[in-house]
Amino acid sequence: MEGSQPETDASTAPPLAALAITSREHTDVTTRDVVFDLRDVDLYYGATMAVSGLNMQVHKNVITAMIGPSGCGKSTVVRTLNRMNDSIPGFRVSGEVLYHDHDVYASGVDPVEVRRRIGMVFQRPNPFPKSIYDNIAWAARLLGLKQNLDERVERALRGAALWDEVKDRLKGSALGLSGGQQQRLCIARAIAIEPDVLLLDEPCSALDPIATALVEELMQDLKKAYTLVIVTHNMQQAARVAERTAFFSLDVSGGKRTGVLVEYDDTETLYTRPSDKRTEDYVTGRFG
């Protein structure tokens, strides 16, 4: 199992509380193609190490969740995958962040092309102050993908399960949509340029339960075509949507606070039979 060494043998621990983990037909997703391979990755802001010793793989057409307490580096890690941290002064990476065996931080790699292939949806919906149509078409136009633009916009909105709700008001302002619709619009905007991966950084934290359920249902459809990585503070959400879950925590030894990957496994195993006491304490609500 990936991550740091366990502190205790879970076989001697008391049974865990019942968790509502979505029932799925078991398949070994680790046999699928590797999309991301992180090898001995350390992440820094200036002289401060934010995340240390990260080794993990993300597999094709799988939903991978990252959970853990605030400040443990989950968002830093997910934003590292498509170089969204590049604009932060002092941010740097050591180790290898491989995407289909290519280091995304290698010399000569174009970060714009990285972000075209690896799309991102943020915590709060951030539609442009434009029409619904122009929100979807904007990136495609910018990248020169101007042929069959109407079909591209419709395909993206259908892919985000939003077409039927907005097809009669495509020229209307995107700011007039509900919060849940705006978040699905942002997903549509991301998939309009046909990425390979979608990164979702707490995409439901600002949504109500009904809108959250729609986005979670959408994720199950999207994984047929895309690889999804989701950061969430909602442990039940990870249990509902993700096949694989990575638990991050904080190492506070030496008077410093550094994010570490504690445990990474299929979601049911991590929630019900964790190999590390820190994971058990987190998923059972003893801390975090």
Side-chain angles (χ1 to χ4, degrees), residues 160-232:
L162 192 57
W163 173 254
D164 288 341
E165 298 171 41
V166 302
K167 62 184 179 182
D168 296 325
R169 49 174 172 152
L170 294 177
K171 298 303 181 182
S173 173
L175 300 180
L177 299 174
S178 70
Q181 288 174 324
Q182 288 185 6
Q183 193 65 302
R184 283 183 285 147
L185 181 74
C186 292
I187 292 172
R189 189 173 65 195
I191 65 177
I193 55 173
E194 301 174 9
D196 177 46
V197 178
L198 278 180
L199 310 176
L200 301 108
D201 191 1
E202 299 188 52
C204 301
S205 64
L207 304 183
D208 62 45
I210 294 174
T212 294
L214 288 171
V215 172
E216 290 180 359
E217 183 179 352
L218 175 58
M219 288 183 211
Q220 299 303 319
D221 290 332
L222 289 171
K223 76 173 184 179
K224 299 170 186 174
Y226 308 99
T227 299
L228 277 70
V229 181
I230 176 173
V231 171
T232 180

Side-chain angles (χ1 to χ4, degrees), residues 212-266:
T212 294
L214 288 171
V215 172
E216 290 180 359
E217 183 179 352
L218 175 58
M219 288 183 211
Q220 299 303 319
D221 290 332
L222 289 171
K223 76 173 184 179
K224 299 170 186 174
Y226 308 99
T227 299
L228 277 70
V229 181
I230 176 173
V231 171
T232 180
H233 278 289
N234 185 332
M235 289 188 293
Q236 289 291 355
Q237 181 174 66
R240 288 191 297 266
V241 303
E243 290 119 308
R244 300 271 289 169
T245 297
F247 168 58
F248 289 80
S249 193
L250 285 165
D251 181 355
V252 295
S253 60
K256 298 180 179 179
R257 295 166 59 88
T258 305
V260 293
L261 174 62
V262 174
E263 190 166 349
Y264 181 37
D265 210 325
D266 70 84

